[in-house]
Amino acid sequence: MAGADSGGPAAPGEDVKPFTPEKAREIVMSLQQPAVFYNMVGDWPALHWDVKHLSAMLDGKTMQFRIGLKTMNSVPQFETSCSYVKATLEEFLAWSSGQSSCLSGPFSSFEHSRYWAYADYKYIARIFEDKEEVFQDVRWSDFGFPGRSGKESTLWIGSEGANTPCHLDSYGCNLVLQIQGRKRWHLFPPGDTSFLYPTRIPYEESSIFSKVNVANPDLKRFPEFRNTTAHVVTLSPGQVLLVPRHWWHYVESIDPITVSINSWIELDADHEARVEEAITRTLVCALKSAESSSDGEPWLNPTEGEATSHKINLQYLNQAVSAYFKCQKANVYKQAHPSSSSGAEQETRASCKRRKRQVSCEPEDCPVLNHEFSSSTFKAEKLQKIPFGPHLIQVLPQSQETSSVGAGAVASDNRDLLHENKGGHFGKLHCTRKQLVMRNDCRTPANQMDSDSSRYASQAALSTNDLLDCLVNPHVVRLVAQLLLERARV
């Protein structure tokens, strides 16, 4: 598996990288399997961004930390169930090292041996808005994305045990640079979506969560999880992980302090994904806002702020549809006139997983990706052309662990809790935890249901969340988006 020894910085004075920017970009855009880049960032100043260095750079500026319990049960620790504090990195360092000075600080209510802390999703452009020169410490141009720097990147700082619940990102693919400490990534391919019991509660634009705590799964409640194909890799300092589009991931910090930087690379397919997200937002907000506030747990992720009105959500949906067609036309034009668009013009202007309904898309802003790089047309034979070797290591499924070590592959960690794929049920919808048994009663008039319902008294009543799990299941939303786009095309 990927280790720190083989992924360290390049030797002093060495600036030759194993891949040109053009080749690195081709790999990022075409590879549909996670892989780790080695020896690509040895000259990046950002490699010095450990917590002590960042603390000095921020000079007492506070940031929000998410606090969770190290004790693990079978329920994911979603952001809605965590505590939050604002603290400086100096205070975080003191707390993580167990110093007595923390007895009265912002972490005073959280014993270090029982809790973890995570400053996640910190946009570098915001936290260093008064020090824009540091943006150039991050050089994604080495991966073929000119002009992309720390300004389009996100910073993550955590203590041991800090984790992100298993989810997939609706938009883009992801490049992740590890700077300090190690993180373990549990990755699952898009084809495992139905086995991971997707949910949009808690709701956050661009994040589809799994109901399963993949580090401690409840196999009685989620038996289909056995059918997943886990790819597990430990990312060490100096290494860059490529997370392809729509790959599920659960990430945990396994060292006392970890620091990483990532950038989401926008893809052509994101235009349709924004239509799907607009549909999802409209349905979730409409149904959950109609509930009494005392009906259950918080449903809106803290990052979302507040629920938007139905009127605003419909405006967002119409803007997303309009942007989809506008960008389609722009792409057709640029493909017909390739000399009129350069690589720099095709580059995306923003890298933001949580895009907050930023759907405007002028023709000159639309990224044009060659169709051969599209996930829908990617052929198996293209994998043969990817230059795997000592500088690019693919993350393989656990079942291939023993046979692939030493052959240009990162072997997955051997964990009993994750199981190899047992077969193709892709597309099966897990709509509810309890399914209605209709049998011959499917034609029963609605006004007779109350009198007949006593036969099913032992069955739990379906909740709004159960209904949403069906309505905004990724497969259902994708179909609705296609129907809407067809309707708008007429």
Side-chain angles (χ1 to χ4, degrees), residues 31 47 53 94 109 125 157 159 161 186 251 301 307 352 377 394:
L31 189 56
L47 282 184
H53 182 78
S109 300
I157 303 168
S159 65
H186 303 246
V251 190
N301 221 41
C352 184
T377 59
Q394 60 185 126

Side-chain angles (χ1 to χ4, degrees), residues 401-447:
E401 174 179 31
T402 55
S403 60
S404 301
V405 176
V410 177
S412 298
D413 289 357
N414 186 16
R415 301 237 167 172
D416 292 337
L417 59 90
L418 299 171
H419 305 268
E420 61 181 303
N421 197 342
K422 295 182 180 178
H425 300 294
F426 175 60
K428 180 178 178 181
L429 303 182
H430 296 279
C431 294
T432 62
R433 291 187 291 271
K434 300 288 186 180
Q435 295 186 354
L436 287 174
V437 183
M438 299 301 290
R439 291 195 181 93
N440 295 328
D441 298 323
C442 59
R443 294 183 296 274
T444 303
N447 60 4

Side-chain angles (χ1 to χ4, degrees), residues 69-133:
L69 279 167
K70 289 184 177 180
T71 303
M72 186 172 293
N73 57 34
S74 60
V75 180
Q77 288 195 61
F78 292 121
E79 293 173 58
T80 50
S81 62
C82 290
S83 301
Y84 294 85
V85 300
K86 283 193 174 183
T88 65
L89 286 181
E90 185 177 6
E91 290 169 327
F92 169 73
L93 274 171
W95 174 77
S96 61
S97 61
Q99 294 182 17
S100 57
S101 60
C102 296
L103 295 176
S104 59
F107 294 100
S108 59
S109 300
F110 306 100
E111 186 180 339
H112 178 254
S113 62
R114 297 182 57 220
Y115 293 91
W116 50 258
Y118 208 3
D120 51 0
Y121 298 105
K122 304 306 178 193
Y123 292 108
I124 292 175
R126 295 176 188 169
I127 60 177
F128 290 116
E129 58 186 353
D130 56 342
K131 297 182 179 180
E132 295 187 5
E133 64 275 8

Side-chain angles (χ1 to χ4, degrees), residues 391-408:
H391 305 295
L392 180 66
I393 312 295
Q394 60 185 126
V395 183
L396 293 177
Q398 288 182 318
S399 58
Q400 299 180 28
E401 174 179 31
T402 55
S403 60
S404 301
V405 176

Side-chain angles (χ1 to χ4, degrees), residues 287-479:
L287 289 177
K288 295 300 290 185
S289 297
E291 279 189 324
S292 168
S293 58
S294 61
D295 283 349
E297 297 295 322
W299 62 272
L300 199 63
N301 221 41
T303 55
E304 282 295 317
E306 61 182 11
T308 43
S309 69
H310 187 65
K311 180 180 180 180
I312 290 176
N313 290 335
L314 279 181
Q315 290 175 352
Y316 173 39
L317 175 59
N318 280 281
Q319 290 169 4
V321 170
S322 176
Y324 171 84
F325 287 117
K326 189 178 293 184
C327 289
Q328 267 201 335
K329 291 179 181 177
N331 286 351
V332 170
Y333 176 83
K334 288 184 177 180
Q335 288 166 11
H337 304 81
S339 60
S340 66
S341 60
S342 66
E345 290 172 336
Q346 294 172 16
E347 179 55 33
T348 324
R349 294 190 178 183
S351 169
C352 184
K353 169 175 178 281
R354 298 171 172 186
R355 296 187 64 86
K356 306 300 183 190
R357 302 174 297 288
Q358 297 174 5
V359 296
S360 62
C361 184
E362 296 303 322
E364 63 269 23
D365 295 336
C366 298
V368 180
L369 305 182
N370 191 303
H371 284 297
E372 70 174 350
F373 294 154
S374 169
S375 62
S376 62
T377 59
F378 180 78
K379 305 295 184 181
E381 57 265 23
K382 288 193 177 294
L383 200 60
Q384 309 276 336
K385 301 179 182 179
I386 299 296
F388 293 119
H391 305 295
L392 180 66
I393 312 295
Q394 60 185 126
V395 183
L396 293 177
Q398 288 182 318
S399 58
Q400 299 180 28
E401 174 179 31
T402 55
S403 60
S404 301
V405 176
V410 177
S412 298
D413 289 357
N414 186 16
R415 301 237 167 172
D416 292 337
L417 59 90
L418 299 171
H419 305 268
E420 61 181 303
N421 197 342
K422 295 182 180 178
H425 300 294
F426 175 60
K428 180 178 178 181
L429 303 182
H430 296 279
C431 294
T432 62
R433 291 187 291 271
K434 300 288 186 180
Q435 295 186 354
L436 287 174
V437 183
M438 299 301 290
R439 291 195 181 93
N440 295 328
D441 298 323
C442 59
R443 294 183 296 274
T444 303
N447 60 4
Q448 295 181 19
M449 289 299 289
D450 289 343
S451 61
D452 294 340
S453 61
S454 59
R455 284 177 286 176
Y456 309 114
S458 61
Q459 180 177 318
L462 292 173
S463 66
T464 304
N465 288 1
D466 291 321
L467 176 60
L468 282 171
D469 284 343
C470 289
L471 289 176
V472 295
N473 181 284
H475 306 301
V476 175
V477 172
R478 190 169 302 120
L479 175 60

Side-chain angles (χ1 to χ4, degrees), residues 49-213:
W49 285 21
D50 60 15
V51 172
K52 288 184 179 179
H53 182 78
L54 289 168
S55 178
M57 289 170 64
L58 289 170
D59 193 24
K61 188 173 184 178
T62 62
M63 61 177 60
Q64 183 169 267
F65 286 83
R66 178 163 58 95
I67 309 293
L69 279 167
K70 289 184 177 180
T71 303
M72 186 172 293
N73 57 34
S74 60
V75 180
Q77 288 195 61
F78 292 121
E79 293 173 58
T80 50
S81 62
C82 290
S83 301
Y84 294 85
V85 300
K86 283 193 174 183
T88 65
L89 286 181
E90 185 177 6
E91 290 169 327
F92 169 73
L93 274 171
W95 174 77
S96 61
S97 61
Q99 294 182 17
S100 57
S101 60
C102 296
L103 295 176
S104 59
F107 294 100
S108 59
S109 300
F110 306 100
E111 186 180 339
H112 178 254
S113 62
R114 297 182 57 220
Y115 293 91
W116 50 258
Y118 208 3
D120 51 0
Y121 298 105
K122 304 306 178 193
Y123 292 108
I124 292 175
R126 295 176 188 169
I127 60 177
F128 290 116
E129 58 186 353
D130 56 342
K131 297 182 179 180
E132 295 187 5
E133 64 275 8
V134 307
F135 296 164
Q136 303 310 313
D137 288 4
V138 182
R139 303 171 179 173
W140 297 115
S141 57
D142 286 344
F143 287 83
F145 301 97
R148 184 177 292 264
S149 65
K151 186 177 182 180
E152 295 83 22
S153 304
T154 311
L155 184 66
W156 308 69
I157 303 168
S159 65
E160 185 174 4
N163 64 80
T164 304
C166 186
H167 68 285
L168 70 77
D169 301 325
S170 302
Y171 307 142
C173 62
N174 194 1
L175 286 173
V176 187
L177 165 64
Q178 193 62 29
I179 295 175
Q180 180 179 2
R182 296 168 300 155
K183 280 185 174 178
R184 181 172 291 123
W185 286 72
H186 303 246
L187 299 125
F188 303 87
D192 282 356
T193 293
S194 59
F195 305 140
L196 286 160
Y197 299 82
T199 182
R200 297 311 299 261
I201 304 297
Y203 173 75
E204 172 185 272
E205 181 180 344
S206 81
S207 293
I208 303 176
F209 291 104
S210 168
K211 292 182 180 180
V212 184
N213 182 349

